[in-house]
């Protein structure tokens, strides 16, 4: 059996090696490393795939979120509502821009922002909402957008874990996550569903004026070279990464289907087990399984499971061991006093198992047998 990894980027590369190698060599030969043609081509192709008017490539997913928040003209002290149960990048940029992060609960089934908790957190200082499509499951965007509209709030989607996920509104209309709010952000970090061979990110919007701002901010606040209208930053996707991403984008739907196949296998083995809750799949969206994250029943020794698996050369991860409101970096915001019992409970019981596009049945069987053996 091949060694088991959380993500197997090498095997994935080998399946498209000749195409990727040629694309990289073409960039090297052109030597247009920055703002080369592949970057614009990727933006166009990604826009078509997502059915969104504007795609602004940038250096990474964290920058995408930062640039999105900068483009909305928020002022220090403005409140931005976000789940505590997410990767730190979502919330870090809020504090970095001297905005105030307001942490709310997630739904224990979807792991995504709970609309009721969001509604309760709104104050006169609230300016924006950042839902996260965690683990590849879409947040309940229809109620979130409804609440945002009622209160005149911006919605920035953190789509770093859910590119390719499709949302279905109650009227039957469908759209890709990342294109539902005012701005969507994604990451091309190598382990993401659409991963580069280095860092990368992108920002999406259907609003032409916002697109103009986002583009300027990502490029030193300039429209015309050396004429800097606003304070921006330097955040670019390089041509080599764009060339690779163009090839991988053509496989994205297949990649996401492979992830769903892995999830179905795990589901079949685990679903009847009284100590395991398998991932919930909301009826309002597809699931692209960036992670396969189960919940363990109270009393199961999670550290013991991690060690049991590790002793059998099976990696596993806790995403994430410390929720935002308990991070030292936010101490100044008094977030430690926030009570988020669902988030705390999830933090203590989740465990993510290996899932990627290159897993074979032997590996899947071996992993699921080991989990079942530990819990027997
Ligand atoms: C990966 C990730 C990011 C940040 O992306 P980088 O490219 O690593 O900066 C932001 N939010 C979430 C939820 C992520 O998973």
């Amino acid at each position: 059996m091949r060694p088991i990894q959380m993500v197997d980027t090498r095997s994935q590369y080998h399946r498209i090696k000749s195409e990727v190698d040629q694309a990289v060599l073409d960039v090297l030969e052109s030597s247009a490393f920055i703002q080369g043609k592949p970057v614009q081509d990727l933006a166009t192709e990604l826009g078509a795939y997502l059915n969104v008017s504007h795609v602004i490539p940038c250096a990474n997913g964290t920058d995408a979120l930062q640039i999105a928040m900068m483009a909305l003209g928020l002022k220090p002290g403005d409140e931005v509502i976000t789940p505590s149960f997410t990767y730190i990048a979502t919330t870090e940029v809020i504090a970095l821009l001297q905005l105030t992060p307001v942490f709310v609960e997630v739904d224990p089934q979807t792991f995504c922002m709970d609309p009721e908790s969001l509604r309760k957190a709104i104050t006169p200082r609230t300016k924006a909402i950042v839902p996260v499509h965690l683990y590849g499951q879409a947040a309940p965007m229809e109620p979130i957008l409804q609440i945002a509209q009622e209160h005149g709030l911006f919605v920035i989607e953190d789509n770093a874990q859910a590119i390719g996920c499709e949302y279905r509104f109650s009227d039957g209309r469908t759209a890709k996550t990342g294109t539902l709010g005012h701005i969507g952000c994604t990451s091309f970090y190598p382990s993401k569903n659409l991963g580069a061979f280095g860092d990368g990110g992108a920002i999406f919007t259907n609003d032409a004026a916002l697109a103009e701002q986002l583009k300027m901010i990502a490029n030193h606040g300039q429209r015309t070279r050396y004429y800097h209208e606003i304070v921006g930053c330097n955040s670019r996707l390089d041509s080599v990464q764009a060339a690779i991403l163009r090839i991988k984008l053509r496989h994205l739907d297949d990649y996401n289907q492979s992830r769903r196949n892995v999830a179905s296998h795990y589901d079949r083995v685990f679903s009847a087990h009284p100590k395991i809750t398998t991932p919930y799949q909301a009826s309002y969206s597809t699931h692209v399984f960036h992670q396969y994250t189960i919940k363990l029943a109270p009393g199961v020794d999670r550290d013991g499971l991690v060690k049991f698996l590790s002793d059998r050369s099976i990696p596993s991860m806790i995403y994430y061991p410390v929720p935002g409101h308990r991070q030292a970096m936010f101490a100044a915001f008094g977030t430690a006093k926030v009570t988020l019992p669902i988030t705390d409970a999830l933090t203590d019981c989740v465990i993510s198992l290996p899932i990627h596009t290159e897993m074979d049945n032997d590996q899947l069987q071996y992993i699921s047998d080991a989990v079942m053996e530990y819990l027997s």
Side-chain angles (χ1 to χ4, degrees):
M1 191 174 58
R2 293 182 301 136
I4 296 171
Q5 299 169 268
M6 285 303 281
V7 217
D8 186 353
T9 44
R10 183 185 288 116
S11 300
Q12 195 189 50
Y13 162 54
H14 283 160
R15 281 207 284 151
I16 51 172
K17 185 178 183 320
S18 56
E19 244 184 311
V20 167
D21 290 359
Q22 189 56 54
V24 171
L25 288 174
D26 288 348
V27 174
L28 302 191
E29 194 52 47
S30 81
S31 290
F33 300 119
I34 300 294
Q35 308 293 21
K37 188 167 178 298
V39 181
Q40 189 46 55
D41 288 345
L42 174 71
T44 306
E45 289 159 7
L46 202 51
Y49 174 81
L50 295 169
N51 192 22
V52 70
S53 321
H54 306 276
V55 173
I56 298 103
C58 65
N60 56 67
T62 311
D63 273 11
L65 288 157
Q66 180 186 326
I67 294 162
M69 285 180 213
M70 289 171 77
L72 296 175
L74 308 184
K75 305 268 176 315
D78 284 352
E79 292 174 359
V80 179
I81 299 177
T82 173
S84 174
F85 194 70
T86 179
Y87 181 53
I88 198 66
T90 319
T91 51
E92 177 186 42
V93 296
I94 300 172
L96 183 73
L97 296 173
Q98 296 187 311
L99 308 169
T100 302
V102 174
F103 293 115
V104 296
E105 279 290 26
V106 288
D107 176 310
Q109 286 193 300
T110 63
F111 302 113
C112 294
M113 182 183 273
D114 170 37
E116 278 322 300
S117 183
L118 159 65
R119 198 184 277 283
K120 285 192 210 121
I122 292 171
T123 76
R125 309 191 70 156
T126 307
K127 292 287 153 51
I129 307 169
V130 187
V132 183
H133 306 305
L134 201 71
Y135 305 150
Q137 164 64 62
M141 290 305 290
E142 189 157 357
I144 291 171
L145 292 170
Q146 176 66 36
I147 294 167
Q149 195 173 15
E150 281 168 31
H151 296 270
L153 305 174
F154 292 114
V155 176
I156 301 171
E157 296 173 74
D158 183 340
N159 199 35
Q161 299 191 0
I163 194 144
C165 176
E166 190 155 79
Y167 195 90
R168 194 181 317 101
F169 290 89
S170 49
D171 63 4
R173 188 168 55 92
T174 60
K176 292 279 194 329
T177 54
T179 70
L180 310 168
H182 298 88
I183 305 178
C185 299
T186 206
S187 163
F188 301 127
Y189 184 80
S191 66
K192 299 289 157 89
N193 291 36
L194 180 57
F197 288 13
D199 275 310
I203 314 167
F204 318 121
T205 185
N206 281 310
D207 181 318
L210 267 180
E212 190 67 23
Q213 286 292 307
L214 292 164
K215 235 176 273 175
M216 275 207 301
I217 292 167
N219 186 24
H220 297 296
Q222 65 192 343
R223 234 183 295 243
T224 308
R225 208 165 188 194
Y226 305 127
Y227 293 82
H228 306 275
E229 300 171 40
I230 51 176
V231 174
C233 57
N234 172 23
S235 188
R236 297 184 285 237
L237 181 72
D238 67 68
S239 305
V240 168
Q241 299 308 332
I244 295 165
L245 286 165
R246 286 187 65 212
I247 294 164
K248 293 187 74 178
L249 175 59
R250 294 174 210 143
H251 298 280
L252 178 58
D253 286 340
D254 288 341
Y255 288 160
N256 284 340
Q257 187 53 47
S258 305
R259 289 172 176 276
R260 277 193 284 269
N261 294 346
V262 172
S264 306
H265 178 107
Y266 283 141
D267 281 350
R268 274 197 301 280
V269 182
F270 299 147
S271 59
H273 199 291
K275 290 181 183 161
I276 300 176
T277 306
T278 54
Y280 178 77
Q281 296 188 44
S283 56
Y284 57 71
S285 75
T286 60
H287 198 315
V288 294
F289 287 101
H290 176 61
Q291 298 298 341
Y292 185 86
T293 304
I294 57 175
K295 291 183 282 187
L296 300 171
V300 175
D301 174 7
R302 183 175 61 174
D303 292 342
L305 174 58
V306 170
K307 175 154 193 319
F308 185 87
L309 295 175
S310 163
D311 288 346
R312 283 152 187 77
S313 304
I314 302 170
S316 62
M317 292 292 286
I318 309 303
Y319 297 120
Y320 296 93
V322 183
H325 71 291
R326 298 198 178 277
Q327 294 287 356
M329 66 149 66
F330 297 124
F333 296 97
T335 54
K337 291 200 269 335
V338 175
T339 51
L340 298 172
I342 295 171
T343 295
D344 286 334
L346 288 177
T347 301
D348 291 338
C349 77
V350 291
I351 177 168
S352 300
L353 300 175
I355 189 166
H356 55 73
T357 59
E358 311 303 315
M359 290 182 76
D360 61 38
N361 282 333
D362 290 349
Q363 293 175 315
L364 274 168
Q365 204 55 52
Y366 180 74
I367 299 166
S368 28
D369 285 351
V371 172
M372 292 300 267
E373 186 188 336
Y374 180 78
L375 293 175
S376 64

